[in-house]
């Protein structure tokens, strides 16, 4: 399938007290709206099933584990998979994954239109910190609760379209996009939970935060000639605001649909995968133009090393 009607299902706030069942009911309502709009694929946010729990400091691992899913689908999410299959809509969403071996990941999956999981991704770039940080206005403890993903940035053939995923902070790193671009990716799906203010710089407000998100996604899409769908969990969660700004971006880097609210909201676009071909065969024809002899630092070095 080369032409997909894609829905970005932005979600409003999820409070700590909200159950998985209540959240899944909201996701199903968005899915029904997507079916009415003719969608073939719907993308939901990062950690779509719960509040953004990494803002809360916890020491008790049993309490931490209550935010994680031990299998997917499970009893709470099975109705979402069932409805997606009924509508013949592929879905992608993020959740906290606890593996049988006891490993913790910030994960997303994508299904085909039969409701079968055809791709899984585990977040690589984990922002934030491990210990309680008194210097911040609020906590961001992803490095405490998750380990870095171990699956790389794979791409998945989903009914004839090459799809890839990344999660939130990953979108700010050009390497994320290029590793998928080098596999010929045609659609990058990502969800995010981005605070509306910078916890370490009160002066950086919503407008700048939205700009940096859009800049990252539009640049990633353009420079790799791929469609991109970036979907927020937004709104005020237990007093902590998350930004909206969900977008669908074409392979030329232009925004073709943009959310207007910070609530549950569906935006859609018809995405022809053949449109990736022009960029991939001209200015971003990697085989002809890349000069890997100058890129060694990208994989041999993390921090800055100044040349004297
Ligand atoms: N969820 C997530 O990755 N959020 C980050 C916030 C970084 S602030 C520590 C983001 O890049 O949007």
């Amino acid at each position: 399938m080369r032409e997909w009607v894609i829905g970005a299902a932005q979600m409003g706030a999820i409070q700590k007290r909200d159950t998985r069942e209540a959240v899944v009911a909201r996701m199903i309502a968005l899915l029904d709206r997507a079916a009415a709009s003719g969608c073939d694929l719907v993308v939901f946010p990062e950690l779509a099933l719960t509040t953004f729990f990494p803002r809360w400091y916890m020491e008790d691992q049993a309490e931490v584990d209550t935010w994680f899913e031990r299998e997917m689908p499970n009893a709470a999410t099975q109705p979402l998979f069932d409805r997606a299959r009924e509508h013949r809509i592929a879905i992608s969403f993020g959740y906290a994954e606890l593996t049988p071996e006891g490993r913790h990941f910030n994960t997303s999956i994508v299904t085909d239109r039969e409701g079968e999981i055809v791709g899984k991704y585990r977040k690589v770039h984990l922002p934030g910190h491990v210990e309680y940080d008194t210097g911040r206005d609020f906590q961001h403890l992803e490095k405490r609760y998750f380990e870095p993903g171990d699956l790389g940035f794979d791409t998945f053939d989903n009914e004839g379209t090459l799809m890839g995923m990344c999660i939130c902070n990953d979108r700010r790193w050009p390497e994320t996009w290029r590793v998928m671009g080098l596999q010929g990716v045609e659609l990058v799906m990502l969800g995010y939970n981005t605070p509306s203010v910078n916890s370490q710089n009160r002066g950086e407000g919503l407008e700048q935060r939205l700009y940096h998100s859009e800049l990252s996604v539009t640049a990633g899409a353009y420079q790799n000639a791929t469609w991109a769908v970036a979907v927020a969990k937004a709104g005020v969660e237990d007093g902590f605001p998350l930004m909206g700004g969900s977008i669908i971006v074409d392979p030329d880097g232009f925004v073709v649909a943009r959310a207007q609210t910070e609530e549950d909201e569906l935006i859609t676009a018809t995405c022809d995968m053949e449109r990736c071909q022009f960029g991939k065969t001209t200015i971003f024809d990697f085989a002809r133009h890349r000069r890997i002899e100058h890129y060694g630092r990208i994989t041999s070095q993390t921090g800055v090393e100044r040349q004297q």
Side-chain angles (χ1 to χ4, degrees), residues 155 176-185 188 224 226 280 286:
T155 54
T176 298
W177 297 88
R178 184 48 49 87
V179 171
M180 288 189 272
L182 283 167
Q183 298 166 73
V185 74
V188 174
N224 295 280
T226 177
K280 286 186 192 302
F286 295 153

Side-chain angles (χ1 to χ4, degrees), residues 195-212:
S196 306
V197 288
N198 188 326
S199 66
Q200 295 167 294
N201 173 13
R202 287 177 200 183
E204 186 186 307
L206 182 58
E207 202 178 324
Q208 287 133 307
R209 308 280 279 172
L210 286 166
Y211 173 71
H212 287 153

Side-chain angles (χ1 to χ4, degrees), residues 78-92:
Q78 189 63 55
L80 177 69
F81 282 75
D82 291 345
R83 188 64 65 90
R85 186 179 299 115
E86 274 167 43
H87 287 315
R88 295 207 80 239
I89 294 178
I91 56 173
S92 178

Side-chain angles (χ1 to χ4, degrees), residues 87-262:
H87 287 315
R88 295 207 80 239
I89 294 178
I91 56 173
S92 178
F93 67 91
Y95 63 98
E97 177 191 12
L98 176 52
T99 73
E101 300 76 34
R103 302 177 71 189
H104 298 77
F105 296 104
N106 187 342
T107 296
S108 61
I109 50 103
V110 60
T111 74
D112 61 17
R113 288 182 301 154
E114 307 301 326
E116 294 301 320
I117 294 175
V118 294
K120 179 186 267 196
Y121 169 72
R122 292 171 171 158
K123 186 173 182 177
V124 166
H125 300 100
L126 297 173
H129 47 110
V130 176
E131 298 302 337
Y132 193 91
D133 183 350
T134 54
R136 291 175 186 249
D137 288 349
F138 48 87
Q139 304 299 297
H140 196 110
L141 292 152
E142 285 194 64
K143 285 194 195 294
R144 182 179 185 85
Y145 301 134
F146 302 114
E147 60 178 289
D150 60 350
L151 300 176
F153 297 100
D154 278 351
T155 54
F156 309 94
D157 183 337
N158 197 350
E159 302 190 49
T161 290
L162 260 189
M163 300 186 182
M165 291 172 279
C166 65
I167 300 179
C168 195
N169 191 263
D170 288 320
R171 71 195 186 287
R172 305 185 193 276
W173 299 90
E175 296 86 348
T176 298
W177 297 88
R178 184 48 49 87
V179 171
M180 288 189 272
L182 283 167
Q183 298 166 73
V185 74
E186 296 170 310
L187 171 65
V188 174
M189 299 166 285
L190 70 99
Y192 59 91
N193 284 255
T194 298
S196 306
V197 288
N198 188 326
S199 66
Q200 295 167 294
N201 173 13
R202 287 177 200 183
E204 186 186 307
L206 182 58
E207 202 178 324
Q208 287 133 307
R209 308 280 279 172
L210 286 166
Y211 173 71
H212 287 153
S213 180
E214 195 159 310
L215 176 68
S216 302
V217 177
T218 52
Y222 167 63
Q223 291 169 351
N224 295 280
T226 177
W227 288 93
V229 185
V231 187
K233 177 136 69 57
V236 183
E237 293 192 336
D238 297 294
F240 296 93
L242 296 170
M243 68 181 211
S246 303
I247 47 176
I248 301 176
V249 178
D250 75 15
D252 295 317
F254 292 106
V255 175
V256 295
R258 181 187 276 110
Q260 302 297 330
T261 74
E262 292 187 348

